[in-house]
Amino acid sequence: MSTERSSAGDPARTLRLLWREPGADTRRGPRQGLSVERVVAAALDLADADGLGAVTMRQVAGALGVVPMSLYTYVPGKAELLDLMLDTVYGQMSREDLSGKPWRERLTAVAQANRELFDRHPWVAEVATGRPPLGPGLMAKYEHELRAFEGLGLDDVAMDAALTFLLGFVSAAARSAAEAVAVRRDSAMSEEQWWAANAPLLGRVFDQDGYPTAARVGSAAGAAHGAAYSPDHAYRFGLERVLDGLGVLIDGQPEGSGATTS
């Protein structure tokens, strides 16, 4: 999977567009009737259908029925457009009320909301967000997710680090799931079909006596998942281990710090 990165455009122009600051290039064209919102919506449709590679200024213009140069009235280029796309889908995420729930349920809900984001918009997993788009969608997402860690006795730096750790796992799981989908698509074979085609050859060349542990464990995992790798199982197993690890941090807070372990 190719990787693009957010915040790669002109920061001043991007921030003005993200926050729709007065004076930003959001005016309507005299004939096209376009807007930043329409441009972003067209780009999202292309990315959701065909991946980020399909999102070029020319392709977006074609989807809107205008000439490519007309888009630059609204968005300076693809880098800024990508930030607008990300911030838009962040703003559309569900914001479940997490108040009063045990901390593991709160963190599980945060993880699940992000997993659903990747399911709806697989291209998001291709974007490196070490410098995130600092728009209202991202800020609403960050505010909501941080509240899942309130009352656990963590200081502000630890809260941010714990959230980053949790979301890093979800992002990695999403990338692995997307890669599995790409492999099936490119090979035009399901996992079962691929193993059925290769099992006879493997049976002839693989020495089970030489690799007894691999033979035993691989057979058990393959039988359980119907494949060598199950994205759903990997996500469920990994999330529990992430929560277990955070539990060590949370449960280890000094008594009276306000941490809860429910």
Side-chain angles (χ1 to χ4, degrees), residues 44 85-95 117 120-121 137:
L44 287 173
M85 293 165 63
L86 283 171
D87 200 65
T88 297
V89 298
Y90 289 157
Q92 294 170 348
M93 292 176 67
S94 62
R95 308 273 190 259
L117 169 71
R120 289 192 301 271
H121 309 287

Side-chain angles (χ1 to χ4, degrees), residues 115 173 176-178 180-181 184 191 225 227 229-237:
R115 190 185 190 204
S176 294
V181 170
R184 289 196 298 271
E191 290 297 308
H225 308 318
Y229 173 72
S230 166
D232 287 340
H233 179 268
Y235 175 80
R236 292 192 302 269
F237 181 88

Side-chain angles (χ1 to χ4, degrees), residues 1 19 26 31 56 65 73 81 94 154 164 166 185 188 217-218 242:
M1 294 173 61
W19 291 93
T26 59
R31 287 181 294 177
T56 65
T73 301
L81 178 57
S94 62
L154 304 178
T164 300
L166 177 65
R185 182 188 64 240
V217 173
V242 168

Side-chain angles (χ1 to χ4, degrees), residues 35-226:
S35 64
V36 172
E37 288 75 17
R38 283 193 63 198
V39 173
V40 173
L44 287 173
D45 287 343
L46 287 169
D48 289 344
D50 300 311
L52 272 183
V55 181
T56 65
M57 299 300 274
R58 182 175 297 278
Q59 289 286 86
V60 174
L64 291 167
V66 299
V67 297
M69 287 303 297
S70 65
L71 295 189
Y72 295 97
T73 301
Y74 305 92
V75 179
K78 184 177 177 181
E80 292 83 2
L81 178 57
L82 178 58
D83 282 355
L84 288 162
M85 293 165 63
L86 283 171
D87 200 65
T88 297
V89 298
Y90 289 157
Q92 294 170 348
M93 292 176 67
S94 62
R95 308 273 190 259
E96 179 183 348
D97 183 6
L98 304 177
S99 57
K101 294 186 176 182
W103 72 263
R104 287 182 77 104
E105 288 187 24
R106 300 203 302 264
L107 270 57
T108 297
V110 167
Q112 184 59 29
N114 280 272
R115 190 185 190 204
E116 290 170 359
L117 169 71
F118 289 119
D119 287 343
R120 289 192 301 271
H121 309 287
W123 56 270
V124 175
E126 301 177 37
V127 184
T129 55
R131 292 182 176 178
L134 302 176
L138 173 74
M139 292 304 179
K141 178 180 187 293
Y142 186 49
E143 173 73 19
H144 174 74
E145 293 169 348
L146 283 174
R147 289 181 180 179
F149 293 87
E150 287 278 32
L152 301 184
L154 304 178
D155 63 32
D156 290 348
V157 174
M159 285 174 63
D160 178 79
L163 175 59
T164 300
F165 179 55
L166 177 65
L167 298 186
F169 160 73
V170 180
S171 177
R175 286 183 66 89
S176 294
E179 288 166 359
V181 170
V183 166
R184 289 196 298 271
R185 182 188 64 240
D186 295 343
S187 67
M189 300 174 73
S190 68
E191 290 297 308
E192 293 82 359
Q193 291 170 327
W194 188 87
W195 280 105
N198 288 278
L201 174 61
L202 182 63
R204 289 197 300 272
V205 300
F206 180 64
D207 178 11
Q208 295 193 28
D209 293 334
Y211 307 96
T213 309
R216 187 188 76 246
V217 173
S219 295
H225 308 318

